[in-house]
Amino acid sequence: MMKKVVLVTGASSGIGLSIANYLHCQKKYIVYGTSRKINNSSKFSFNLIELDVTEKSSIETCVSEIIKKESKIDILINNAGVGITGPLEEIPTSEINKHFQTNVIGPILLIKEVLPSMRSSKNGVIINITSVAGQIATPFRSIYSGGKAALEIISETLAMEVRSFGIDVVSIAPGDFKTNISKRRFHSPVIDKSDYKSYPESLKKMNLGVNNGSNPEKIAKLVSCILLKRRPRIKYKVGSFIEKNGAILKWILPQRIYEKLILKLF
């Protein structure tokens, strides 16, 4: 049986690195990971290639090179993304545009680029890494949550559009995992005379949640299990009890009580 070819974006660190390593080393897939900049590709066990998900030409080059070499891409894992925090009023519009270009438009362009090959082979799996933040609204994450919510509903819609071609589309919504996202995310500057007095403390809680998060290999193992399923679910969540069930509480509790609970936690 021919080995499956996997493309994992944002594979130089964090969740993407765990997924790429696990699929290549433990499950023997042919893995191509991507990074916006590569300083030393030799330290990675899988193939690491340059890709800027905000550049259409970079996406086209990346996908065409893999298909030219391997004749196919069986699995696309859209993991590359950036974080952003801050009061909506104080986040620079330029950063908002940059965020959606990376976290929403980039995955869309990658999907559009791999779909022709998957359709012709009547086979494929697309996994979009979203976030529980796309399902649970928390203060000072409006843009991040908006982007992840958009990617999740796009996944759900796309799944219906391509099912007849033998292509599965899945979204995985992680909670807090121990990665370097807190160091790489854009933090809206803490303004001394800002009216949003609770933002600094909320930011500390966000960073603490990441620092105390679970091992991202847990997500890698979930991805591996999904790839073995004949008919995977459209949506998966992975995280703590409150992270996985917070969206359910949102529909059970009265809105005001739910908001008080969220404000107390975050």
Side-chain angles (χ1 to χ4, degrees):
M1 183 181 291
M2 290 182 65
K3 289 184 177 181
K4 297 284 188 180
V5 178
V6 186
L7 172 57
V8 184
T9 66
S12 62
S13 63
I15 291 172
L17 177 60
S18 290
I19 293 172
N21 268 334
Y22 191 81
L23 293 183
H24 174 71
C25 298
Q26 302 296 324
K27 300 301 176 181
K28 307 307 178 184
Y29 287 89
I30 298 172
V31 176
Y32 286 84
T34 76
S35 178
R36 192 167 59 87
K37 292 182 180 179
I38 300 175
N39 295 320
N40 182 14
S41 61
S42 62
K43 68 179 182 178
F44 296 91
S45 62
F46 50 89
N47 304 295
L48 188 68
I49 56 180
E50 284 192 6
L51 170 65
D52 185 344
V53 298
T54 67
E55 295 289 340
K56 188 173 185 292
S57 60
S58 180
I59 290 171
E60 290 171 348
T61 299
C62 172
V63 172
S64 65
E65 284 183 358
I66 296 172
I67 292 177
K68 184 178 180 180
K69 188 173 181 179
E70 306 291 347
S71 302
K72 60 177 182 172
I73 293 176
D74 299 294
I75 300 152
L76 168 65
I77 301 176
N78 272 316
N79 166 75
V82 291
I84 188 168
T85 66
L88 179 63
E89 184 182 352
E90 295 178 357
I91 301 175
T93 303
S94 60
E95 291 296 334
I96 294 173
N97 290 335
K98 189 187 300 182
H99 185 85
F100 278 99
Q101 188 67 38
T102 302
N103 284 26
V104 183
I105 304 301
I108 290 173
L109 293 178
L110 273 154
I111 290 167
K112 288 166 70 71
E113 201 65 28
V114 302
L115 274 178
S117 174
M118 288 183 176
R119 279 192 295 101
S120 66
S121 64
K122 297 291 182 182
N123 176 67
V125 180
I126 296 170
I127 298 178
N128 293 321
I129 306 298
T130 61
S131 172
V132 294
Q135 303 172 11
I136 305 172
T138 58
F140 310 119
R141 289 189 191 180
S142 56
I143 302 305
Y144 184 74
S145 293
K148 290 302 185 181
L151 187 57
E152 187 159 295
I153 202 67
I154 287 168
S155 303
E156 191 175 339
T157 304
L158 181 66
M160 293 185 279
E161 294 177 358
V162 301
R163 188 171 297 147
S164 63
F165 304 127
I167 301 169
D168 291 314
V169 181
V170 174
S171 66
I172 298 177
D176 281 329
F177 280 81
K178 197 167 186 176
T179 68
N180 62 354
I181 189 172
S182 59
K183 295 178 181 177
R184 295 184 296 107
R185 70 159 66 109
F186 174 82
H187 300 298
S188 187
V190 176
I191 301 171
D192 289 339
K193 295 183 179 180
S194 172
D195 288 328
Y196 298 96
K197 305 297 184 185
S198 61
Y199 172 51
E201 186 60 32
S202 183
L203 183 57
K204 287 180 183 177
K205 286 186 177 181
M206 287 184 223
N207 293 338
L208 186 63
V210 172
N211 294 337
N212 294 333
S214 302
N215 189 326
E217 189 172 293
K218 188 175 182 180
I219 301 173
K221 290 179 179 178
L222 173 60
V223 168
S224 179
C225 289
I226 290 170
L227 295 179
L228 294 175
K229 292 181 180 294
R230 183 169 166 267
R231 287 185 178 176
R233 300 202 311 263
I234 295 174
K235 297 183 180 183
Y236 292 83
K237 296 178 188 176
V238 54
S240 67
F241 177 84
I242 188 67
E243 287 170 335
K244 289 193 289 185
N245 295 282
I248 298 173
L249 293 175
K250 185 176 183 178
W251 300 112
I252 295 174
L253 297 174
Q255 183 64 25
R256 293 298 181 189
I257 293 176
Y258 177 78
E259 284 181 7
K260 285 182 180 179
L261 174 64
I262 292 296
L263 287 169
K264 185 176 181 180
L265 289 172
F266 297 96

